[in-house]
Amino acid sequence: MSEVKNNQNVNEEGNLTEEGLTEQRQIRREKLKTLQEAGRNPFLQETWDVNAYSLDIKDNFDEMDGKEVSMAGRIMAKRGMGKASFIDVQDKQGRIQCHVKKDVLGEEEYKWFKTYDIGDIIGYEGKVFKTQRGEITVEISKMVLLSKSLQVLPNKWQGLKDTDIRYRQRYVDLIMNQDVRDTFYMRAKIIHEIKRVLEEEYGFLEVDTPILTTIAGGANARPFDTHHNTLNMDMKLRISNELFLKRLIVGGLDRVYEMGKMFRNEGMDRNHNPEFTSMECYMAYGNMESVMEVTEQVVSKAALMATGSMKINYQGKEFDLTPPWRRLDMAEAIKEITGVDFSQITTDEEAREAAIGYGMDADDVKDMTRGKILAEMFEEYCEDVPGYLDGPVFVTGHPVEISPLAKRDPKDPRITRRFEAYINCWEIANAFSELNDPIDQFERFSEQQRELDLGIDDEAHPMDMDFVNALEVGLPPTGGLGIGIDRVIMLITDAPSIRDIILFPTMKPESK
């Protein structure tokens, strides 16, 4: 394990010193020097023609038996060093055994082969066969060293289990752990399936919108700040792409989506990384129910493609993603859990009295409106009830005060046409019937600006007047949806932490 760490001594020029090398690593450098002096520098190799891979050969052995193949990969094990040896070579699909014989490879090449190390990358040609023990194998007739590994991989028994090293050196993690490689192949397939459903089944157009912005809008979150030197202006990394995508709906691109990175300068835990992947889509002439259907379809079909079933198992719990999903009104949930009936509460004062009577702190609620108290009680008392939001479930009935971009419910203008989707008590999606009234939008932005100026809400953002202008040009009735892709992938792949499904999660620098 110590061999994959980066505690190395360097001189003033930044070059690695002899004292910074372990004995095994020094031996590898000496082997490289010998190769170079013999005119066999592996780092001059540029390419190798590959026409076969390990798993394909194993899955189709009857067809491949006796055929000549050209392959490449990393040496992961060596056994026997007389006149014949067996090695395990790992390629993108997995490992395959290879047989290396002195009288087949040639005496000179076999001599060089004996100097190769675990971790070295080779190109080779040979014939597929099966050993007496039934092991599918390639008899190597030609071998070329394509890259010399100067580091020492963890041994096969201990493996690479230290999570800190695994996340920092994902390249070693991928080499040593097949299940990690499988997870990231599955991640790619899940993302591909989500895009396929959006494009082929619903006609969405994939677009790209800015990551650097002057105003961080579209969500309540703390942004990362940066500075544009040429323009001499402060900028932010986007926390959402919502306002740009809705501008495109105004422009006549009726169905658009974007999947990409968002950045929120906030906490880190098993479900949160400051850099994460989100998918947002907007459907002109659709509404909240329209994007409910989209949510059900993209998540359930992604699970079906990845696992073969719409029923998934996450950390020992089963979730059936088969549509339709359950609907749950926020006020009804509060009534069910706490007994407080918001349908009978009409004023802010009544809401404060009910909240204090249930146990909320009087100072905390003294300035809260009825809507904010409703949202606070749901978050504090309903989200934490074990199993209550296991889902999949759509929670609706969000107050206007916490939904500045959602259309009001015509039956009750105090709440909005919005839902949040939950699985395993995690919010995995957020969606609206989008607010397209520019006057109402301006007033809600103005309230956010007031709270920002007064220091009431440090996550509020300055008013985006260009977006208000876009609404004045005319936004058709629109359904909008945002899905947390990383959380969906966690659920489908049964990953215990978000860091397990992000190739290079944010990490604090190692101490020197």
Side-chain angles (χ1 to χ4, degrees), residues 32-168:
L32 173 62
K33 184 178 180 182
T34 300
L35 286 162
Q36 291 170 330
E37 290 174 347
R40 302 174 69 96
N41 187 352
F43 298 125
L44 296 181
Q45 301 292 334
E46 291 190 63
T47 186
W48 185 265
D49 291 331
V50 176
N51 62 23
Y53 296 95
S54 56
L55 186 60
D56 291 337
I57 290 174
K58 293 178 180 180
D59 287 346
N60 302 280
F61 174 72
D62 290 342
E63 179 185 340
M64 298 299 296
D65 188 14
K67 286 195 173 181
E68 292 283 342
V69 294
S70 180
M71 305 176 69
R74 188 183 300 272
I75 298 173
M76 297 302 294
K78 296 177 74 174
R79 298 177 295 282
M81 290 303 293
K83 294 184 178 181
S85 304
F86 284 99
I87 60 174
D88 293 341
V89 182
Q90 181 169 289
D91 61 19
K92 69 176 185 177
Q93 292 185 347
R95 297 189 188 186
I96 192 165
Q97 177 174 274
C98 297
H99 191 216
V100 188
K101 293 177 67 176
K102 183 176 181 180
D103 59 357
V104 174
L105 190 62
E107 185 173 347
E108 177 72 10
E109 291 303 320
Y110 193 77
K111 181 194 74 171
W112 287 108
F113 158 71
K114 289 172 68 175
T115 70
Y116 297 169
D117 294 303
I118 304 297
D120 288 353
I121 297 173
I122 60 171
Y124 59 99
E125 297 175 0
K127 184 180 295 185
V128 177
F129 76 105
K130 186 177 289 186
T131 66
Q132 291 182 345
R133 294 185 178 183
E135 181 79 14
I136 295 172
T137 305
V138 176
E139 182 76 69
I140 293 182
S141 57
K142 179 181 178 181
M143 181 188 301
V144 175
L145 183 63
L146 303 178
S147 183
K148 181 69 181 171
S149 176
L150 301 180
Q151 271 282 3
V152 182
L153 296 177
N155 67 62
K156 66 178 181 179
W157 307 112
Q158 189 176 13
L160 184 63
K161 299 176 182 178
D162 185 298
T163 54
D164 189 72
I165 296 176
R166 286 181 53 229
Y167 299 145
R168 292 182 188 279

Side-chain angles (χ1 to χ4, degrees), residues 349-395:
E349 185 59 37
E350 289 173 349
R352 295 180 193 124
E353 291 176 1
I356 294 169
Y358 191 74
M360 294 184 71
D361 187 271
D363 288 336
D364 289 343
V365 303
K366 65 180 181 180
D367 295 322
M368 285 189 182
T369 63
R370 174 187 177 278
K372 286 203 170 182
I373 291 172
L374 186 153
E376 188 71 20
M377 290 191 73
F378 177 80
E379 181 176 342
E380 186 167 342
Y381 300 119
C382 298
E383 288 188 356
D384 292 337
V385 175
Y388 188 64
L389 295 177
D390 270 0
V393 58
F394 293 117
V395 175

Side-chain angles (χ1 to χ4, degrees), residues 204-421:
F204 282 95
L205 174 70
E206 184 174 16
V207 296
D208 297 298
T209 62
I211 292 175
L212 284 174
T213 66
T214 54
I215 298 175
N220 288 328
R222 185 173 290 109
F224 286 94
D225 296 315
T226 186
H227 186 79
H228 194 300
N229 291 334
T230 302
L231 297 177
N232 191 27
M233 60 187 292
D234 292 333
M235 302 192 77
K236 304 175 187 299
L237 298 182
R238 68 183 180 188
I239 59 175
S240 170
N241 50 6
E242 175 174 351
L243 302 186
F244 285 109
L245 292 173
K246 285 195 278 192
R247 285 173 168 92
L248 299 181
I249 299 294
V250 170
L253 303 182
D254 281 359
R255 295 191 177 192
V256 295
Y257 82 95
E258 181 175 11
M259 189 181 297
K261 294 290 188 180
M262 306 298 157
F263 307 87
R264 298 185 182 180
N265 195 358
E266 299 174 338
M268 297 168 59
D269 57 34
R270 64 176 295 203
N271 291 339
H272 295 86
N273 192 68
E275 177 183 353
F276 63 96
T277 301
S278 176
M279 187 287 296
E280 293 202 20
C281 64
Y282 292 84
M283 178 188 292
Y285 312 110
N287 62 6
M288 182 180 78
E289 283 76 22
S290 304
V291 289
M292 270 188 180
E293 178 189 321
V294 173
T295 307
E296 292 171 334
Q297 292 299 314
V298 296
V299 175
S300 64
K301 288 181 177 176
L304 178 64
M305 182 282 309
T307 69
S309 173
M310 289 187 181
K311 291 182 179 179
I312 61 172
N313 285 281
Y314 183 76
Q315 304 295 291
K317 297 166 67 176
E318 183 176 87
F319 303 95
D320 188 350
L321 306 182
T322 306
W325 296 358
R326 180 168 67 102
R327 273 68 165 165
L328 176 66
D329 180 78
M330 185 178 285
E332 292 176 359
I334 293 171
K335 181 179 178 181
E336 183 176 345
I337 298 300
T338 70
V340 177
D341 186 357
F342 270 85
S343 67
Q344 303 300 314
I345 295 174
T346 58
T347 67
D348 295 343
E349 185 59 37
E350 289 173 349
R352 295 180 193 124
E353 291 176 1
I356 294 169
Y358 191 74
M360 294 184 71
D361 187 271
D363 288 336
D364 289 343
V365 303
K366 65 180 181 180
D367 295 322
M368 285 189 182
T369 63
R370 174 187 177 278
K372 286 203 170 182
I373 291 172
L374 186 153
E376 188 71 20
M377 290 191 73
F378 177 80
E379 181 176 342
E380 186 167 342
Y381 300 119
C382 298
E383 288 188 356
D384 292 337
V385 175
Y388 188 64
L389 295 177
D390 270 0
V393 58
F394 293 117
V395 175
T396 62
H398 294 71
V400 169
E401 292 93 323
I402 63 166
S403 310
L405 297 165
K407 185 169 288 191
R408 294 177 188 266
D409 190 323
K411 297 178 182 178
D412 184 350
R414 297 173 300 179
I415 62 174
T416 57
R417 296 274 292 148
R418 172 186 178 186
F419 73 77
E420 292 176 316

